[in-house]
Amino acid sequence: MRYLALPLLLAVWIRFTPEELGFPLDDAWIFLVFAANLREHGEWAFNRGEPSAGVTSPLWAALLSSAPGISESLQVDLVRWTRALGLTLGLLPLAVVLPWFFSKGLTGSSRFRREASWALAVLTVCQGVFLFHARSGMETVAFASCGIVAIRTLFLPNPFWCSLALAGLVLLRLEGLLLALPLLAYCLSRGERLRAALFALFSGSAAGLVLFNNWRLCGALFPTTFAGRRFLFKLDPDNLHLERLGESFHKFAAQWVERIHDWCWMDRFLPGGEAELPGGVRLNPLAALLDGLMLLGGLLLLLRALEPKRWARSAPLFLLLVWTLLHNLFYVTVLPSGGHAGRYQAINFLWPPFFVLFAFQGAGSWLARVARGANSSGARGKAGTAARIALLGLLLIPVGVSIRVWKQVLDSGIERINHLHLGMGEWARASLPSDSRVVAFDLGGFKMASNLYVIDQSGLLDARGLESFRKHNSPEFYRARRATHLFKFERVEEQDLSIDPVWKTTFALERRISLDRDEGLDREACQNAWSRCSLYRIEYQE
């Protein structure tokens, strides 16, 4: 299996190539705008000449800015380079390193552990949701991959490589410190103080560099995007919210299972359809079985991690589990997201296939002990191995379905972004005065295509924009920022903007673009649910 793993991954990656050149998320275009300004003008800025800390991953923006100039279009070069990084820094390291992790938790003959761990790795990285994230232009899969590499290199004799990986992890996303802490604790528990000091030096220096860059650009330690949480989730992102921890954990557990159930097992699309249970609950039998095994496997692994004697063999796997828990705890208490298994926690999707097999393995061992003496140990061993191989084959069904469905989501998202965001931006570039100032909520694709001055209302660059949006006094913000136009996404049934008498503002429709169809694929980002966008001219009454 190990000799087929990389060819299979490359074949699936090629099969997952989108029909159009682009990204399914507007956030990726925001990264590309920063990368383009960094490459062409040496500025950390969204609008040229205005320094901004509007990216959560400075290293990802810097890597994108290093795109080689192959074609005559900077935009095309950046898109192709971003796709290449999604494969080389995201999926390939995972495919190579994950088998080593999974082998630490499997039992059986050495040959079975080796082959099964490679099969699990291929199933994991070939999940449709993972492929989607790797193709999305975002840094989240590369972040998970860098963390996996950091844990793997922890067990190499030379500590430099792990230190370097930790520094890269923190530069990719500041919450990479959540892995540095358990690795430091692990080294100190083993008396490896010099190694721990080196880890602290590298990860701490990387964190200091990120914080200093944010302070230099916007006068705050954290990216400007954090300010948006204050209004979207009605909490202060600068403080912990431990008083709501019990409620958050309950919500997290429910959302985690629901999101894995929906995004990994794809129960609505699996063969056999959905069966209606008492209470109106609809479940696919195969998805329900996999959910049960996944929960059991996660619980068993957590219980084993609490036994000190098991750390000698399974320390890498347990460290990965600790990192996953800390990462999710951080998002529950500090930066709650709409779904805790969302794209900012791609690490969660490393676990489902392994949890399923681990649970089946644990249940099989228990049944074997109960039935001890009924058959020879050799026969039981062969039967258990055959059953686990059959389960791996069963996992091919949801993985295959997820590839097909997420490919549709990918193509649909790219079509919408290209047609609405970039399409309106190209029209604005050709039709509006060059000194226009356009307000936008989803601003990346429009900015990339129009190259006009864009005023952010999403909280990415200016916290006042999202605050005004939530408080329903946006026209006051428009007037303060001297906006001339509004780029707005709408549903088909929405009425045109006209006059706002309270704020003495008039909106005149200049351009509208609509999609031919509305598939409502809103799995990953709200813009996938919009079916039209409009550009209004703003006129202020005295």
Side-chain angles (χ1 to χ4, degrees):
M1 185 64 199
R2 54 180 170 171
Y3 300 111
L4 296 175
L6 292 183
L8 282 173
L9 174 59
L10 291 175
V12 173
W13 177 260
I14 294 172
R15 169 66 181 83
F16 212 79
T17 301
E19 298 176 358
E20 299 182 37
L21 195 66
F23 301 109
L25 304 174
D26 189 76
D27 292 8
W29 288 105
I30 294 173
F31 268 113
L32 261 63
V33 171
F34 276 94
N37 280 327
L38 186 59
R39 170 178 165 163
E40 298 295 302
H41 311 293
E43 297 181 359
W44 283 98
F46 188 81
N47 292 305
R48 187 181 174 189
E50 293 186 1
S52 171
V55 290
T56 54
S57 177
L59 180 57
W60 187 247
L63 289 171
L64 298 185
S65 70
S66 65
I70 299 175
S71 71
E72 297 180 356
S73 169
L74 174 61
Q75 179 176 313
V76 171
D77 288 339
L78 286 172
V79 172
R80 289 175 175 169
W81 181 244
T82 305
R83 285 184 174 182
L85 292 180
L87 174 66
T88 55
L89 299 184
L91 292 187
L92 286 181
L94 286 174
V96 172
V97 178
L98 276 178
W100 181 78
F101 279 84
F102 292 154
S103 66
K104 303 297 181 180
L106 298 179
T107 59
S109 66
S110 58
R111 178 184 177 185
F112 170 78
R113 292 198 307 271
R114 181 176 64 249
E115 299 300 328
S117 61
W118 276 100
L120 276 176
V122 171
L123 289 170
T124 300
V125 298
C126 286
Q127 293 175 99
V129 63
F130 238 121
L131 295 168
F132 176 90
H133 289 320
R135 288 283 193 185
S136 71
M138 301 293 287
E139 82 284 9
T140 50
V141 174
F143 177 77
S145 177
C146 190
I148 288 287
V149 170
I151 299 176
R152 176 64 184 93
T153 52
L154 172 68
F155 296 90
L156 296 179
N158 190 341
F160 172 77
W161 300 112
C162 183
S163 303
L164 191 63
L166 284 175
L169 187 70
V170 174
L171 291 174
L172 274 172
R173 292 188 69 87
L174 193 58
E175 57 263 38
L177 288 172
L178 297 173
L179 177 60
L181 294 176
L183 295 194
L184 282 171
Y186 180 76
C187 290
L188 290 175
S189 70
R190 295 168 56 87
E192 299 174 345
R193 296 183 179 179
L194 181 60
R195 182 181 289 251
L198 196 60
F199 292 171
L201 175 64
F202 273 67
S203 58
S205 299
L209 183 62
V210 173
L211 296 175
F212 171 76
N213 191 51
N214 292 333
W215 183 268
R216 177 180 66 87
L217 294 172
C218 67
L221 293 178
F222 298 103
T224 316
T225 53
F226 280 32
R229 303 285 175 173
R230 194 182 311 273
F231 310 106
L232 286 177
F233 301 103
K234 299 180 181 179
L235 52 79
D236 182 358
D238 301 323
N239 296 295
L240 296 177
H241 302 275
L242 299 180
E243 71 277 3
R244 298 171 55 190
L245 193 57
E247 175 189 347
S248 297
F249 265 127
H250 177 267
K251 183 184 296 184
F252 159 72
Q255 287 186 342
W256 201 94
V257 176
E258 179 183 4
R259 192 63 63 92
I260 296 294
H261 180 89
D262 187 33
W263 286 11
C264 284
W265 308 140
M266 313 298 294
D267 60 317
R268 286 174 291 173
F269 307 96
L270 287 174
E274 294 178 316
E276 186 166 352
L277 303 178
V281 178
R282 301 181 65 85
L283 285 177
N284 179 277
L286 176 58
L289 170 65
L290 296 176
D291 273 343
L293 289 173
M294 181 187 69
L295 286 172
L296 177 60
L299 180 60
L300 286 176
L301 187 65
L302 182 61
L303 292 175
R304 291 193 178 183
L306 298 177
E307 302 179 34
K309 64 180 182 180
R310 294 188 180 272
W311 277 75
R313 178 177 183 269
S314 301
L317 201 60
F318 294 156
L319 287 171
L320 179 57
L321 180 64
V322 170
W323 181 37
T324 303
L325 294 174
L326 288 176
H327 193 70
N328 283 280
L329 177 63
F330 174 74
Y331 273 84
V332 168
T333 57
V334 181
L335 293 177
S337 57
H340 296 296
R343 66 177 181 268
Y344 294 109
Q345 296 103 307
I347 182 177
N348 290 332
F349 297 106
L350 296 172
W351 289 109
F354 174 79
F355 279 166
V356 168
L357 187 60
F358 190 74
F360 190 81
Q361 171 183 283
S365 299
W366 179 79
L367 290 174
R369 286 195 296 270
V370 170
R372 183 169 296 169
N375 298 297
S376 67
S377 59
R380 289 198 304 269
K382 291 179 180 179
T385 299
R388 282 180 284 176
I389 293 174
L391 183 61
L392 287 172
L394 187 64
L395 284 171
L396 284 172
I397 298 175
V399 170
V401 170
S402 73
I403 292 174
R404 176 177 60 82
V405 175
W406 278 100
K407 176 63 164 55
Q408 294 174 0
V409 177
L410 177 71
D411 288 334
S412 176
I414 293 176
E415 179 188 9
R416 289 169 183 271
I417 296 291
N418 288 352
H419 194 65
L420 299 181
H421 300 228
L422 274 69
M424 186 65 83
E426 291 166 358
W427 181 88
R429 184 170 191 164
S431 306
L432 298 185
S434 59
D435 60 348
S436 298
R437 298 168 65 90
V438 184
V439 176
F441 198 95
D442 294 302
L443 62 162
F446 179 85
K447 170 68 175 180
M448 192 73 188
S450 70
N451 202 31
L452 296 173
Y453 186 94
V454 174
I455 300 170
D456 167 43
Q457 189 158 19
S458 65
L460 173 71
L461 310 173
D462 189 341
R464 295 173 299 171
L466 186 58
E467 181 178 8
S468 68
F469 178 78
R470 300 290 293 182
K471 293 182 177 180
H472 304 289
N473 60 353
S474 292
E476 182 181 28
F477 173 70
Y478 303 162
R479 187 185 292 267
R481 294 300 307 274
R482 295 179 290 112
T484 62
H485 294 80
L486 171 64
F487 174 51
K488 184 176 184 292
F489 283 89
E490 302 165 326
R491 301 190 185 278
V492 173
E493 63 273 12
E494 281 190 48
Q495 296 182 350
D496 295 349
L497 292 178
S498 54
I499 299 175
D500 190 324
V502 175
W503 302 104
K504 298 181 179 180
T505 306
T506 301
F507 299 92
L509 180 65
E510 289 206 355
R511 173 74 171 174
R512 171 166 290 154
I513 302 177
S514 300
L515 292 174
D516 297 332
R517 63 185 186 279
D518 184 8
E519 298 179 4
L521 291 173
D522 57 354
R523 291 178 178 277
E524 186 57 20
C526 60
Q527 62 261 28
N528 285 351
W530 307 128
S531 54
R532 78 180 190 190
C533 64
S534 300
L535 189 69
Y536 295 91
R537 185 178 68 257
I538 306 175
E539 298 175 353
Y540 305 104
Q541 303 170 8
E542 295 297 333

